Amino acid sequence: MPTVDPSFRYVWLIWASVFLLPWSALFVAWPAIRRRMLWASALTAPFGLTEPLFVPAYWNPPSLFDLAHRTGFDIESLILCFAIGGLAAAGYRVLAPASEHTLAPQARNSHLHRLHLAALVSPFFVFVVLLMLPWNPIYPGIAALFAGALASGLCRPDLWRNTLVGGALFLALYAVFLLGLKSLWPGYIEAVWNLGDLIGWRPVGLPLEELLFGFGFGMYWSSVYEHLTWRQRDALSLVRITANGKDRI
């Protein structure tokens, strides 16, 4: 295990776990979004198992039981991925609550939806392909999230506002947590992130890659639930296509 400041030993665990606080608050305060949050968190939690791709190429944090240094895997990544998935899925619903309806079969057969499944899984293909290039693995991850958000928006134009606002909200939340990390544990970012292999510009001392990840993650996961379940927010719909024709909302 690399030599680190003893005060940094449990920072990764603490920081990841703190994300569970807003997750729990939203889960308790808004019963209507609980299913969505659990669904999103269950899908994103396994992405914590990709940590060996990023340790130590992107960063090298001290972790519980020294797992990250010994195996590449760690418990903290699973906690973080679980929490941020639910937060990204919930943010826009809390800001702009609205009823929803399921898209009718006619709407699902629209030319826009011919690549429905391809749009949803596009981030995974983009990530695998770009990972083969000789660059830091964080950049394929960021590009994959942006590509997935773009593909989903082109397939479901009614979700663009959801996507963009959801991305901005999660970016703001993520930036606050990063600033808290920087303030409470000075020097941690410099000690843990592989800054020499990253873009030199760091807004307010934060790795630009983390901010791009936050925005991309928020954009993609804020609308995946509606996209995958063929749901549409009534407040954003101008026309609902039903079995009887077009009904104004």
Side-chain angles (χ1 to χ4, degrees):
M1 175 177 175
T3 302
V4 295
D5 186 323
S7 65
F8 292 164
R9 187 171 299 275
Y10 298 108
V11 171
W12 180 205
L13 176 63
I14 295 171
W15 193 68
S17 299
V18 169
F19 279 89
L20 293 173
L21 297 180
W23 190 99
S24 300
L26 290 177
F27 189 82
V28 171
W30 278 274
I33 63 174
R34 289 175 182 172
R35 179 179 179 183
R36 189 188 312 269
M37 290 181 66
L38 289 172
W39 180 91
S41 290
L43 284 180
T44 55
F47 287 101
L49 298 176
T50 64
E51 188 71 350
L53 296 174
F54 303 97
V55 174
Y58 176 60
W59 72 335
N60 202 13
S63 62
L64 193 63
F65 308 123
D66 195 25
L67 288 176
H69 295 140
R70 291 192 293 109
T71 68
F73 298 97
D74 58 40
I75 297 171
E76 293 89 342
S77 295
L78 296 173
I79 295 173
L80 178 71
C81 289
F82 175 89
I84 64 177
L87 290 172
Y92 187 63
R93 282 81 185 173
V94 173
L95 180 68
S99 59
E100 296 179 341
H101 68 273
T102 302
L103 287 174
Q106 295 93 324
R108 300 184 194 185
N109 294 328
S110 165
H111 71 281
L112 291 174
H113 304 318
R114 291 175 184 173
L115 299 179
H116 173 79
L117 182 59
L120 284 170
V121 301
S122 59
F124 309 101
F125 288 104
V126 171
F127 180 71
V128 170
V129 171
L130 295 183
L131 194 61
M132 300 177 186
L133 299 177
W135 57 354
N136 195 287
I138 190 62
Y139 298 114
I142 293 169
L145 290 169
F146 276 80
L150 176 61
S152 295
L154 292 175
C155 183
R156 288 285 303 275
D158 59 295
L159 296 179
W160 267 120
R161 183 184 301 179
N162 198 89
T163 297
L164 294 173
V165 176
L169 286 174
F170 186 78
L171 169 60
L173 176 68
Y174 198 62
V176 168
F177 274 73
L178 285 169
L179 288 171
L181 176 68
K182 182 176 181 292
S183 300
L184 292 174
W185 292 280
Y188 183 81
I189 290 177
E190 292 75 12
V192 170
W193 268 261
N194 186 10
L195 297 178
D197 197 35
L198 305 178
I199 295 173
W201 181 47
R202 292 187 282 278
V204 294
L206 303 178
L208 178 62
E209 291 78 6
E210 287 293 323
L211 299 177
L212 292 173
F213 166 80
F215 186 51
F217 186 90
M219 283 199 301
Y220 179 71
W221 285 100
S222 64
S223 60
V224 166
Y225 181 82
E226 285 87 350
H227 201 165
L228 189 60
T229 60
W230 294 102
R231 300 194 65 78
Q232 186 176 62
R233 292 167 58 84
D234 292 336
L236 302 181
S237 305
L238 296 178
V239 176
R240 180 190 303 173
I241 301 178
T242 67
N244 296 323
K246 295 183 178 180
D247 299 328
R248 294 287 174 180
I249 295 179

